[in-house]
Each structure stands twice: as C-alpha cells, then as structure tokens.
Amino acid sequence: MMETKFFSLEIHSDNRLTRIFRFLLGLFCIIIAGYWLVYNIRTGGNDLTLWVTTLFLIVFGTYMVASSFGSCSTFIEFSEEFIRIKNNSFLPARTIYAKDILKVEIYPLKFRITLKDSRTFITRFGMSDLERNEKIKDEMISFAERNNIIKETGVDG
C-alpha cells in the first residue's frame, strides 16, 4: 500500500511564532468587533458603517484564527486511489477519485484534471518554489500511470 504524499501549495511555511501572532491578531479583531458593536448600539449609533466595520472585523478575525490552526492553507495530497486538492483558502478540500478521472494534463506551472463527466479542475503552482512544482508534477505523472489515466504534458497556453 502506498503512503500518502502531501505537498503544501503555500508560498511560505509558518513557524510557531507566526501562528501565535495570527491567532492573537484574529482574537483581538473579534474582541474589538464585539466592543465596537456593543458600544455603538448603547450610544445610539446604528448606521451602515457600524455593521460593515463589525462584519469586516469578525470575518477577518475568524479568518486569522482559522489560518493560525492551518485550516486555510492550500495543499495537494496524493493517495493510492484519490487526490485531495485545496487550492483556495476559503473553500474546502476537494477529493477526486482516480476512477472518476478521464485525463490529466501537466504543464510547467499548472495541471488540469478532466473528469469523466467533463468537469475540469485547474491547479496553478506559481513560481515561488520550482523544485516543489517538479515534485508535484512527478507525483501526478506517477498517480496517472498507477491508475491507468491518460496523461499529457505540454507548454502553458
């Protein structure tokens, strides 16, 4: 049985101090939003800017807290029979089973997965870590070969 291979798609890796700072900043934003809301409602200020500011602080604070725990990080994970891809910080990870994949197209800075139901998923690598990109492309080729999936390589177009 194959071990799961995990590749982060993040530009940089976080250390513990960065995650703690992000958590505290998020918590601070949520506390300030609560204070701002209570203070302005008590003083009779109930306009659109109050709600927009409060909503922004709560959403931003929640994002910072969630990202401090790693739930907003992007990644690609290869298993024997599926690929899990999270290439958007806000959306959940997508699991794509090998039996559902029609074709994989691999380009220098992205890859495209075409499913049997004609849906396609594109993941872009970026240019920050070319060595990691090569490892992901090699693993994608291995995954396609293990599961008898059509694979094409080409130049970005």
Side-chain angles (χ1 to χ4, degrees):
M1 179 160 174
M2 178 193 145
E3 66 184 45
T4 301
K5 294 189 180 175
F6 181 88
F7 298 95
S8 174
L9 296 175
E10 295 294 320
I11 295 172
H12 53 78
S13 61
D14 291 336
N15 60 28
R16 183 180 297 224
L17 183 63
T18 304
R19 288 192 310 265
I20 291 171
F21 176 75
R22 199 177 294 148
F23 176 78
L24 292 175
L25 178 64
L27 195 60
F28 180 70
C29 287
I30 293 169
I31 290 169
I32 291 297
Y35 172 77
W36 180 254
L37 187 64
V38 170
Y39 175 77
N40 281 311
I41 288 177
R42 281 188 178 173
T43 59
N46 193 6
D47 61 350
L48 183 63
T49 57
L50 163 70
W51 296 108
V52 170
T53 305
T54 303
L55 182 65
F56 173 78
L57 284 171
I58 289 172
V59 169
F60 180 73
T62 303
Y63 173 78
M64 294 301 281
V65 169
S67 68
S68 71
F69 289 112
S71 58
C72 294
S73 60
T74 57
F75 63 86
I76 181 166
E77 181 180 14
F78 293 93
S79 174
E80 185 70 34
E81 63 220 21
F82 64 85
I83 301 172
R84 281 187 60 220
I85 301 173
K86 183 172 181 182
N87 54 7
N88 187 315
S89 298
F90 301 106
L91 299 176
R94 179 179 297 134
T95 302
I96 304 171
Y97 289 92
K99 63 183 173 69
D100 298 330
I101 300 174
L102 175 67
K103 176 173 67 171
V104 174
E105 298 168 81
I106 302 165
Y107 301 99
L109 297 176
K110 69 180 179 184
F111 65 85
R112 178 182 297 137
I113 298 173
T114 304
L115 300 181
K116 291 178 180 171
D117 65 3
S118 300
R119 289 185 298 160
T120 61
F121 299 105
I122 297 174
T123 298
R124 300 184 195 290
F125 298 125
M127 296 181 60
S128 61
D129 191 349
L130 297 176
E131 184 178 323
R132 177 202 60 200
N133 296 354
E134 289 303 316
K135 289 178 183 176
I136 294 172
K137 288 190 290 188
D138 291 343
E139 189 58 38
M140 181 61 77
I141 290 169
S142 297
F143 179 81
E145 288 173 351
R146 279 193 311 271
N147 291 290
N148 298 318
I149 297 170
I150 301 167
K151 65 182 180 314
E152 296 177 3
T153 56
V155 179
D156 281 325

